[in-house]
């Protein structure tokens, strides 16, 4: 996670970790760090069609244990977001084996495994157009053989675990466990320029609980600090995509001091964000805090439909017309208004008007309808679920407008406009390129500080043969409480703010990118 316009909510960020034969990785002036240049690939409309982020309630599936004999590995049920890797804007190279076999991979803070195609991959077309690992050619290979699968939004990749030396920049990580993929179960991999994925996430979400590559960098004393940092170059005319630094930070890549915030979970690089502001006006839903995952493997910004619709309205993004949303507003808007004026608790209003039953969490986004189920496991009627969802969004929208002391007529007009701007979970919102300069700043509150994004920073310009197409960088991702509401801060955010991933102190830091 239609008007016939599909979108890529997820475009993976990749990093150019160069081998000896491609010498642009340097040991950083004897400061104990290794800087890895990032190479960037331009986006086009073809690459903005398929991939999206969707929630999944089955943690065992999302963590890739579904194909293993894991009767003893019972994981708690949780909301895990899944990603599609359709195309890469940044890509890079690593080496596996002795002598080294070169692979192009995504460096992804939202996952934790290293995987590349195997020479035993014979049933997937994608394997024939990508580099394949050949164990028999490496004298440092060790067989493991345990089977696994790694799920994504539109399918899974399947394979088995092996062990070999892995080279990242100037580092040789010895005896690293990784996955040899034997089947790539969905079409998008056929069109990608990269071969696999190198995860920079935590071991807790690693398929098979394998130790991630960047853990072993520290354990094997390649770096003295458990830190890596990203600087991404958003200049579309520059071939240099940015830089990743393992073991520290480079002061040349940022201005001012970093604002550090603690991790709220040790599975993803997850923090808490406060209210999201549109031209300094609050959107309301995250006023008391929302979860946010800092994810270098997601190109755009994903968040609750309730807020994304407000942003789309403010920037003039073309969404879909929702008749049901307008119907709820027409029939129940005055009643919701009166309840809010009288001080009725917002979370009880939709139950009070009869659109939600009191046994389920109030849904605040379209995508949550997909998995809005009762605790007993029986499905809720789709129509009733939709009415409850739209009611919840309308309550939030009216509540925000009441704080602005606007008249009932103006509030109702605004809410109906928001219904028209609802983002489609499998669509993309387009904007007029000529209007970008006049669009408002969108600000995230992190650590009680404001982190604004300019219109140029939260939009994408896609060059086509017939001209330039501009796309909103905001897409819908709805995760219900208690795990949600949830934001995913992808490369549009990392491009604006130099980001430090500090595992040693369990925190993430942001400073304005240079």
């Amino acid at each position: 996670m239609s008007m016939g316009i599909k979108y890529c909510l997820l475009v993976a960020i990749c990093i150019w970790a160069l081998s000896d034969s491609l010498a642009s990785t340097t040991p950083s002036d004897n400061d104990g760090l290794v800087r890895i240049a990032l190479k960037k690939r331009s986006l086009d409309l073809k690459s903005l069609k398929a991939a999206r982020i969707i929630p999944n309630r089955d943690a065992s599936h999302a963590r890739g244990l579904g194909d293993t004999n894991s009767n003893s590995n019972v994981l708690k049920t949780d909301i895990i977001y899944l990603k599609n890797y359709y195309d890469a804007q940044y890509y890079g190279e690593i080496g596996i084996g002795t002598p080294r076999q070169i692979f192009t991979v995504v460096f992804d803070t939202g996952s934790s495994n290293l995987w590349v195609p195997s020479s035993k991959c014979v049933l997937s077309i994608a394997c024939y157009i990508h580099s394949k690992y050949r164990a028999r050619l490496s004298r440092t290979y060790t067989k493991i053989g345990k089977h696994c699968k790694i799920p994504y939004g539109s399918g899974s990749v399947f394979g088995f675990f092996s062990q070999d030396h892995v080279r990242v920049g100037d580092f040789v990580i010895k005896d690293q466990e990784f996955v040899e993929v034997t089947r790539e179960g969905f079409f998008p991999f056929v069109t990608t320029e990269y071969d696999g994925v190198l995860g920079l996430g935590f071991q807790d979400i690693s398929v098979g609980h394998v130790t991630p590559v960047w853990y072993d960098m520290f354990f094997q004393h390649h770096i003295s600090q458990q830190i890596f940092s990203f600087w991404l170059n958003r200049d579309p005319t520059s071939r240099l995509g940015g830089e990743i630094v393992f073991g520290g930070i480079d002061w040349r890549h940022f201005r001012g001091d970093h604002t550090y915030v603690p991790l709220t979970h040790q599975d993803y690089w997850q923090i808490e964000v406060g209210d999201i502001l549109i031209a300094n006006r609050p959107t309301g839903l995250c006023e008391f805090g929302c979860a946010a995952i800092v994810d270098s493997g997601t190109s755009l910004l994903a968040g609750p439909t309730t807020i994304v619709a407000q942003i789309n309205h403010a920037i003039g993004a073309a969404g879909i017309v929702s008749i049901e949303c307008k119907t709820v507003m027409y029939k129940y808007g005055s009643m919701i208004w009166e309840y809010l004026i009288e001080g009725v608790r917002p979370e009880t209003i939709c139950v009070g008007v009869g659109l939600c039953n009191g046994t389920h969490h109030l849904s605040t986004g379209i995508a949550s309808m997909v998995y809005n189920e009762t605790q007993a496991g029986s499905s809720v009627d789709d129509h009733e679920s939709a009415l409850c969802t739209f009611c919840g969004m309308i309550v939030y929208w009216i509540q925000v407008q009441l704080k602005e002391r606007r008249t009932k007529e103006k509030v109702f007009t605004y809410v109906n406009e928001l219904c028209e701007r609802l983002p489609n979970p499998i669509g993309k919102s387009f904007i007029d390129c000529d209007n970008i300069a006049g669009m408002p700043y969108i600000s995230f509150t992190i650590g009680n500080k404001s982190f604004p994004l300019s219109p140029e920073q939260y939009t994408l310009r896609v060059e086509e043969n017939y001209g330039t197409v501009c796309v909103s960088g905001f897409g819908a991702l709805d995760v219900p409480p208690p795990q949600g509401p949830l934001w995913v801060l992808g490369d549009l955010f990392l491009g604006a703010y130099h980001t430090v991933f500090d595992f040693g102190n369990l925190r993430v830091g942001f400073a304005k990118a240079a």
Side-chain angles (χ1 to χ4, degrees):
M1 266 87 19
S2 170
M3 297 292 292
I5 302 174
K6 295 186 177 180
Y7 76 103
C8 174
L9 179 61
L10 167 72
V11 181
I13 298 177
C14 303
I15 299 172
W16 193 12
L18 297 175
S19 65
D20 287 346
S21 61
L22 297 172
S24 73
T25 300
T26 61
S28 306
D29 302 320
N30 299 319
D31 58 6
L33 310 179
V34 166
R35 294 173 173 84
I36 301 176
L38 313 184
K39 187 175 181 180
K40 178 168 54 180
R41 177 191 173 186
S42 299
L43 296 175
D44 54 33
L45 284 181
K46 183 179 180 180
S47 67
L48 285 173
K49 285 185 177 180
R52 62 188 185 274
I53 301 175
I54 62 171
N56 189 300
R57 298 191 74 171
D58 184 355
S60 62
H61 171 73
R63 294 178 184 181
L65 300 178
D67 269 7
T68 62
N69 296 323
S70 56
N71 294 332
S72 61
N73 296 327
V74 179
L75 297 175
K76 65 180 180 180
T77 299
D78 201 354
I79 298 293
I80 305 294
Y81 83 96
L82 305 179
K83 303 189 296 183
N84 289 5
Y85 286 96
Y86 180 70
D87 208 346
Q89 186 177 9
Y90 301 88
Y91 57 95
E93 292 181 353
I94 64 169
I96 302 179
T98 308
R100 277 175 294 151
Q101 302 171 41
I102 303 300
F103 301 92
T104 305
V105 296
V106 176
F107 280 60
D108 175 26
T109 60
S111 66
S112 300
N113 289 88
L114 167 61
W115 66 262
V116 295
S118 172
S119 60
K120 297 179 175 61
C121 182
V122 295
L123 298 178
S124 295
I125 296 175
C127 289
Y128 286 94
I129 58 176
H130 290 104
S131 299
K132 294 192 286 186
Y133 173 76
R134 292 170 169 79
R136 61 183 177 80
L137 299 181
S138 174
R139 63 177 179 271
T140 49
Y141 161 76
T142 300
K143 180 179 179 180
I144 296 177
K146 183 179 179 181
H147 291 275
C148 64
K149 75 173 180 181
I150 303 175
Y152 295 104
S154 62
S156 300
V157 295
F158 302 84
F160 58 90
F161 290 106
S162 293
Q163 181 176 290
D164 208 333
H165 293 357
V166 174
R167 188 180 184 102
V168 179
D170 285 342
F171 300 148
V172 176
I173 300 96
K174 296 181 179 179
D175 302 323
Q176 175 65 48
E177 196 167 345
F178 66 101
V179 176
E180 289 191 53
V181 166
T182 56
R183 179 158 61 94
E184 299 184 7
F186 53 102
F187 175 77
F189 275 112
V190 173
T191 60
T192 61
E193 291 191 1
Y194 60 88
D195 304 310
V197 174
L198 192 155
L200 296 173
F202 292 88
Q203 190 168 2
D204 284 351
I205 60 168
S206 172
V207 174
H209 208 65
V210 169
T211 303
V213 171
W214 68 279
Y215 278 43
D216 279 334
M217 284 186 182
F218 179 77
F219 295 152
Q220 296 183 22
H221 308 292
H222 294 298
I223 55 178
S224 59
Q225 297 184 76
Q226 293 174 291
I227 288 177
F228 58 90
S229 55
F230 275 92
W231 169 66
L232 301 182
N233 185 3
R234 288 290 316 281
D235 181 359
T237 65
S238 174
R239 190 166 179 265
L240 176 64
E243 190 174 75
I244 181 172
V245 177
F246 286 100
I249 61 177
D250 186 336
W251 62 270
R252 294 173 295 182
H253 293 329
F254 61 92
R255 295 196 293 270
D257 297 325
H258 286 83
T259 296
Y260 286 94
V261 289
L263 299 181
T264 55
H265 287 277
Q266 294 183 40
D267 42 17
Y268 295 103
W269 289 98
Q270 182 173 319
I271 60 175
E272 183 178 278
V273 298
D275 211 348
I276 288 80
L277 308 177
I278 303 174
N280 293 322
R281 293 180 179 272
T283 54
L285 182 61
C286 295
E287 180 180 1
F288 301 106
C290 285
I293 293 171
V294 186
D295 185 3
S296 68
T298 297
S299 181
L300 310 184
L301 296 152
T305 304
T306 306
I307 299 178
V308 172
Q310 295 179 63
I311 294 173
N312 280 350
H313 177 268
I315 68 177
I320 63 172
V321 177
S322 173
I323 301 301
E324 286 186 315
C325 179
K326 286 191 169 184
T327 299
V328 171
M329 185 60 194
Y330 175 76
K331 290 184 177 180
Y332 300 96
S334 293
M335 195 180 306
I336 291 171
W337 173 274
E338 294 300 328
Y339 277 142
L340 288 171
I341 292 294
E342 293 171 5
V344 176
R345 292 187 336 185
E347 62 269 21
T348 67
I349 290 177
C350 294
V351 176
V353 301
L355 293 180
C356 300
N357 64 54
T359 62
H360 307 96
H361 289 299
L362 182 62
S363 171
T364 57
I366 295 174
S368 56
M369 297 178 203
V370 176
Y371 55 84
N372 189 6
E373 298 177 345
T374 66
Q375 295 297 324
S378 59
S379 297
V380 178
D381 179 79
D382 289 342
H383 181 67
E384 292 179 359
S385 175
L387 295 181
C388 179
T389 292
F390 291 127
C391 179
M393 290 190 289
I394 289 169
V395 168
Y396 273 109
W397 292 336
I398 293 178
Q399 189 180 12
V400 170
Q401 293 300 296
L402 279 172
K403 293 180 180 179
E404 299 289 331
R405 300 183 181 276
R406 295 185 177 177
T407 65
K408 182 177 179 180
E409 181 181 359
K410 289 184 177 180
V411 171
F412 278 34
T413 298
Y414 175 73
V415 171
N416 275 301
E417 290 173 352
L418 288 181
C419 284
E420 294 181 354
R421 300 296 188 180
L422 285 172
N424 185 354
I426 57 171
K428 172 49 58 189
S429 297
F430 290 84
I431 56 180
D432 187 340
C433 295
D434 294 334
N435 293 338
I436 289 180
M439 295 191 315
Y441 276 67
I442 309 297
S443 301
F444 287 81
T445 305
I446 303 175
N448 295 320
K449 292 186 178 181
S450 179
F451 289 81
L453 297 175
S454 69
E456 292 79 13
Q457 290 171 329
Y458 65 70
T459 57
L460 287 172
R461 288 181 178 267
V462 182
E463 301 294 336
E464 291 294 308
N465 293 333
Y466 50 81
T468 301
V469 175
C470 292
V471 182
S472 167
F474 292 92
L477 171 66
D478 294 295
V479 177
Q483 290 82 11
L486 174 70
W487 278 91
V488 176
L489 305 180
D491 92 333
L492 290 182
F493 192 86
L494 272 63
Y497 294 98
H498 179 266
T499 306
V500 178
F501 296 86
D502 185 351
F503 177 58
N505 294 296
L506 298 178
R507 62 182 185 171
V508 178
F510 304 101
K512 191 171 183 179

